[in-house]
Amino acid sequence: MGNLSRRSFLKMGALGAGAGASLAFANTKATKKESTIDPNEGVKRVKTICSICSAGCGIIAEVKDGVWIRQDVAQDHPISAGSHCCKGVDQIDLVKSKMRLKYPLKREGGQWKRISYEQAIDEISKKMIAMREKYGPDSMMFLGSAKMNSQQAYYWRKFAAFYGTNNIDHVARI
């Protein structure tokens, strides 16, 4: 840049402006044809709520062909009043993540293997019963989810009590 003269700079500027202007007016038929395509055609805006926690902030989900493609905040929502926390803003990324679990997995021989829900529940319940028999019910800790509403939290607390422990807490506090 130190060796660039004023004259060379002006020549390059004029050349760039000329190229930009010619590109702007080139192929105007294709530009007009593209401008008639509506990117929002077939997109439905669906009012829903964020499922990250039990606050229930408002989301406007944009859905096309049954697929959630975008999201916006619900300006008129009585709880969130048009805002989101950092987790709610990324709600769509959680749904579309390739890392998202869609079915139970079990590690066997160093590899993850898909198993049925029935097998997962059966194996987990047997391990919980064995732990209670060997170490006592207070060896287990029950953590509630920030997604639970009051009724779900009540049932989770009852489940812990039936297991025989008072060791229960809430994930949002941790």
Side-chain angles (χ1 to χ4, degrees):
M1 286 287 279
N3 297 337
L4 186 65
S5 68
R6 181 175 183 263
R7 176 179 227 127
S8 297
F9 175 78
L10 291 173
K11 283 181 183 178
M12 286 193 303
L15 181 63
S22 62
L23 285 174
F25 294 109
N27 202 4
T28 55
K29 288 182 181 179
T31 306
K32 285 182 182 176
K33 189 180 280 186
E34 289 174 0
S35 67
T36 60
I37 297 172
D38 182 9
N40 295 322
E41 185 178 337
V43 173
K44 291 191 321 188
R45 292 176 56 88
V46 180
K47 282 188 175 185
T48 186
I49 60 169
C50 176
S51 64
I52 294 292
C53 74
S54 60
C57 296
I59 292 177
I60 306 289
E62 294 185 7
V63 180
K64 186 171 185 173
D65 300 326
V67 177
W68 186 3
I69 58 170
R70 270 192 82 244
Q71 79 178 38
D72 201 358
V73 294
Q75 297 292 336
D76 60 347
H77 195 270
I79 294 172
S80 57
S83 65
H84 281 302
C85 70
C86 59
K87 292 183 255 180
V89 168
D90 287 337
Q91 178 73 5
I92 191 169
D93 294 333
L94 293 173
V95 171
K96 293 184 163 213
S97 173
K98 290 181 180 8
M99 300 298 292
R100 180 179 174 208
L101 291 179
K102 297 177 183 169
Y103 41 81
L105 298 174
K106 180 180 180 180
R107 193 171 204 159
E108 289 183 352
Q111 298 292 330
W112 290 104
K113 176 185 149 189
R114 184 177 178 169
I115 61 173
S116 70
Y117 282 97
E118 291 79 16
Q119 180 183 349
I121 291 169
D122 185 52
E123 289 184 21
I124 291 168
S125 62
K126 284 180 181 174
K127 286 181 181 181
M128 287 177 69
I129 291 168
M131 281 184 65
R132 183 175 62 190
E133 289 172 357
K134 185 172 182 179
Y135 302 109
D138 286 334
S139 64
M140 184 70 70
M141 175 72 182
F142 290 82
L143 288 174
S145 169
K147 293 174 77 168
M148 288 180 170
N149 61 30
S150 293
Q151 293 77 18
Q152 291 166 327
Y154 172 80
Y155 288 122
W156 188 241
R157 171 66 191 102
K158 284 293 187 185
F159 180 68
F162 283 131
Y163 187 79
T165 187
N166 287 325
N167 294 341
I168 188 162
D169 206 346
H170 197 274
V171 174
R173 189 187 70 77
I174 296 176

